[in-house]
Amino acid sequence: MTILYRVHHGLYVNLTNRCSCACTFCVRGLSDSVGEAGEPLAFPRADLRDLWLSKEPTAEEVIASLPDKNYNEVVFCGFGEPTEAWDTLTRVAHYVKETFGLPTRVNTNGLGSLICGRDIAPEFEGIIGTVSISLNAPDAKTYQKIVRSSFGEKSFEAVMDFAREVKCYAPNVVMTTVETTISHEDEERCRAICEKLGVRYRIRAWAG
């Protein structure tokens, strides 16, 4: 199974298939692989790079798979929501920072505190440099229509709370929407939300 894969100069860590959302634009419904062809890392079929896991890797398995190479950053992002495997993520992130000193990033739906049943924002401190949060929409109703969170409409405010909190513990916080999924007017509303929260806004390309 594919635990690690490469996108440009980043080493991506695939921890879980689980996700609390079923986004209408999610690549999971369109493809069984992402990333780039080429050099195999810890997976046997680099030409396919299938990210659907037969089981969730342990922290020890991830650490044992890490290549001894110089990548620009280590990114926790796979076919599932990485905070679903939060304990594994934090153990691996600690190892990466202590052993390689590389920048670290988590790409998340921002619902980790609901998933874990506690405020996990303080646990980012010292181990995660960048947090990329999927904002996706400027209001709770539109958000739920697009994201289809298992936590319902309270999810939108939970994402707002998480962004507000995690910026106190991670140096770089960005919130994103996906191009073509909302109107330009709603993109500007999202930009205003990010300005109010004091985080960066980015419109990311759709991977379909």
Side-chain angles (χ1 to χ4, degrees):
M1 62 184 180
T2 300
I3 298 174
L4 304 175
Y5 63 104
R6 184 182 65 188
V7 178
H8 305 305
H9 298 292
L11 180 64
Y12 281 58
V13 184
N14 182 34
L15 295 178
T16 182
N17 296 333
R18 291 179 289 158
C19 187
S20 57
C21 298
C23 299
T24 56
F25 55 80
C26 184
V27 70
R28 286 161 56 122
L30 304 171
S31 174
D32 60 0
S33 64
V34 298
E36 300 175 6
E39 174 193 4
L41 296 173
F43 43 91
R45 298 190 298 169
D47 57 334
L48 179 61
R49 302 176 318 283
D50 185 355
L51 294 184
W52 288 104
L53 298 168
S54 56
K55 70 177 185 67
E56 292 188 358
T58 65
E60 290 77 14
E61 287 173 325
V62 176
I63 289 168
S65 300
L66 291 171
D68 186 17
K69 295 201 67 163
N70 184 23
Y71 290 87
N72 288 354
E73 65 175 341
V74 173
V75 184
F76 295 92
C77 176
F79 258 17
E81 164 55 36
T83 61
E84 294 273 5
W86 182 241
D87 290 342
T88 300
L89 190 160
T90 55
R91 290 176 63 191
V92 175
H94 273 290
Y95 179 87
V96 167
K97 296 300 288 185
E98 293 170 1
T99 306
F100 303 111
L102 287 172
T104 52
R105 169 161 49 105
V106 172
N107 291 356
T108 178
N109 60 21
L111 298 174
S113 293
L114 289 180
I115 291 166
C116 295
R118 67 180 189 275
D119 178 13
I120 65 170
E123 299 170 38
F124 280 74
E125 188 169 20
I127 60 169
I128 302 298
T130 299
V131 183
S132 180
I133 305 167
S134 297
L135 174 57
N136 292 325
D139 58 75
K141 184 176 180 179
T142 308
Y143 176 92
Q144 186 61 15
K145 182 178 179 180
I146 293 173
V147 172
R148 299 182 294 192
S149 167
S150 62
F151 295 107
E153 288 195 7
K154 69 178 181 179
S155 300
F156 183 77
E157 285 305 318
V159 172
M160 299 298 103
D161 291 342
F162 175 73
R164 193 177 294 111
E165 179 78 2
V166 80
K167 73 175 185 177
C168 300
Y169 302 101
N172 302 304
V173 177
V174 57
M175 301 186 83
T176 68
T177 58
V178 179
E179 65 179 3
T180 75
T181 60
I182 58 175
S183 67
H184 293 309
E185 290 78 11
D186 278 353
E187 287 174 347
E188 290 308 307
R189 291 173 63 197
C190 288
R191 190 184 307 278
I193 288 170
C194 292
E195 290 176 356
K196 184 176 181 180
L197 290 170
V199 302
R200 187 163 61 91
Y201 175 57
R202 183 172 74 87
I203 301 171
R204 69 185 192 272
W206 182 55

